[in-house]
Amino acid sequence: MFDLQGFHEAKDVADAVQALTANPNAEIISGGTDVLIRVREGKDAGKVLVSIKNIEEIKGVKLLDNGDLFIGAGTCFTHLTNDPLVQKHIPMLGEAVDTVGGPQIRNMGTIGGNICNGATSADSAAGMQVLNAIVCLTGPNGERRVPISEFYTGPGKTVREQNEVCTGFLIKKEDYEGFSGKYIKYGKRKAMEIATLGCAVMVKLDKEKKHIEEVRLGYGVAAPTPIRCPKAEESLKGAACTDTERIENYVNIALTEVRPRSSWRASKEFRLQVISELAKRALKEAIVLQGGQINA
């Protein structure tokens, strides 16, 4: 049985904010794939749960008039993977969340919960980093928007206040248009596995598809929080897609920007090896997806 003090089914975002504000011991539940586990283990025992599961306004993916994409925080992984707008504009993110757990988890778990839990192993986290996603939070004082690069403050910690509801994520048109992307998850098995390491790369090539105009490199489980590697990204600007020396240099620079640790899943030394390999592999696959040529 779950040790709960109370349960409130919010009818809309304002109602959820009001319920959270009225009770400092309250926390949000949506899909419940993480929250209920914590409650069952006694970590969140005695909490009041405020459910945002049935708030339709925070579900789905929308293409805004200015070309930006808005992903509702209550969108489950299965819907995200199969959404036509995601498949057309940001398939990398859909592929990333399709590696989460099994079908049951993907049918219940939401993108909002995956990001707001603050876990560096979240499969959506590296992809949202390279998409420069903006986190939309609504609280008693209205809405505020936080760049994903400023959202995480430590392992399992974010800037979201207890009485704020994450309503969704904004991805600007210039952050996805003209890019191709690839997410690679490393784990000990292919399904039902928490990432030992996750790597996301986005690339924009020139018109001739021979040189790199921009590259973004993001990781999960390579540091206490999901991260980007800006120095490695800068090192590849203008590089030929076939320039193996520049690519090796980019990998070496990335290794100076990560901070992996040893855990029961993998040693620090092993993670560094995977970090270098995935940086190279994801980059090459992203280049090929955009029609570029690489040295095999």
Side-chain angles (χ1 to χ4, degrees):
M1 295 293 291
F2 296 110
D3 180 7
L4 299 176
Q5 188 183 92
F7 184 87
H8 176 78
E9 182 75 51
K11 63 179 184 290
D12 53 30
V13 173
D15 183 32
V17 171
Q18 185 177 18
L20 291 166
T21 303
N23 193 334
N25 193 40
E27 70 172 297
I28 291 172
I29 183 171
S30 184
T33 56
D34 286 307
V35 172
L36 290 180
I37 291 173
R38 292 200 302 268
V39 173
R40 186 179 63 193
E41 292 176 345
K43 296 176 182 177
D44 285 354
K47 292 277 190 178
V48 172
L49 298 184
V50 176
S51 175
I52 59 172
K53 177 68 177 176
N54 295 318
I55 301 179
E56 293 300 321
E57 65 189 277
I58 61 171
K59 295 181 181 180
V61 183
K62 302 180 181 69
L63 183 64
L64 306 182
D65 291 341
N66 62 359
D68 295 349
L69 288 170
F70 181 80
I71 301 173
T75 309
C76 75
F77 300 128
T78 300
H79 290 167
L80 195 61
T81 298
N82 294 301
D83 187 274
L85 290 172
V86 171
Q87 292 178 344
K88 179 179 179 180
H89 298 294
I90 48 173
M92 178 264 296
L93 183 62
E95 292 166 3
V97 299
D98 203 38
T99 68
V100 175
Q104 297 95 331
I105 295 295
R106 294 194 293 272
N107 286 342
M108 293 295 293
T110 63
I111 184 72
N114 203 228
I115 294 295
C116 290
N117 279 339
T120 186
S121 58
D123 287 299
S124 64
M128 295 294 260
Q129 289 282 324
V130 297
L131 285 165
N132 289 331
I134 298 170
V135 186
C136 301
L137 302 168
T138 297
N141 299 318
E143 184 186 65
R144 65 178 178 127
R145 296 182 173 183
V146 182
I148 194 79
S149 60
E150 301 172 11
F151 186 66
Y152 299 95
T153 58
K157 297 179 180 179
T158 71
V159 299
R160 186 183 72 84
E161 300 290 343
Q162 175 270 340
N163 59 357
E164 287 184 311
V165 175
C166 175
T167 57
F169 306 91
L170 189 67
I171 300 172
K172 293 187 174 295
K173 181 179 180 181
E174 60 265 28
D175 284 319
Y176 71 81
E177 190 174 57
F179 284 89
S180 57
K182 182 67 180 180
Y183 174 77
I184 302 178
K185 174 179 181 175
Y186 180 86
K188 293 183 179 181
R189 57 186 185 183
K190 293 184 178 180
M192 300 292 287
E193 173 74 340
I194 295 175
T196 301
L197 196 93
C199 176
V201 171
M202 290 188 68
V203 170
K204 179 187 283 188
L205 303 180
D206 63 5
K207 291 181 180 180
E208 290 74 30
K209 308 297 182 183
K210 292 183 178 180
H211 291 84
I212 297 170
E213 287 189 354
E214 186 176 349
V215 63
R216 299 178 192 159
L217 173 63
Y219 285 108
V221 209
T225 64
I227 61 167
R228 286 272 295 274
C229 297
K231 294 178 182 177
E233 295 172 355
E234 187 67 26
S235 73
L236 272 185
K237 283 190 175 180
C241 296
T242 55
D243 192 334
T244 55
E245 185 175 341
R246 291 277 294 274
I247 291 174
E248 287 295 334
N249 184 52
Y250 139 90
V251 171
N252 290 332
I253 293 173
L255 288 172
T256 69
E257 298 185 87
V258 297
R259 290 182 293 146
R261 65 178 181 89
S262 293
S263 72
W264 66 269
R265 288 194 179 89
S267 67
K268 173 183 176 180
E269 292 74 19
F270 181 73
R271 280 198 170 98
L272 286 169
Q273 181 180 348
V274 177
I275 284 166
S276 62
E277 180 60 31
L278 295 194
K280 190 186 308 181
R281 193 177 298 183
L283 171 68
K284 290 183 175 182
E285 292 194 35
I287 289 172
V288 170
L289 283 170
Q290 200 165 135
Q293 298 291 323
I294 61 171
N295 288 328

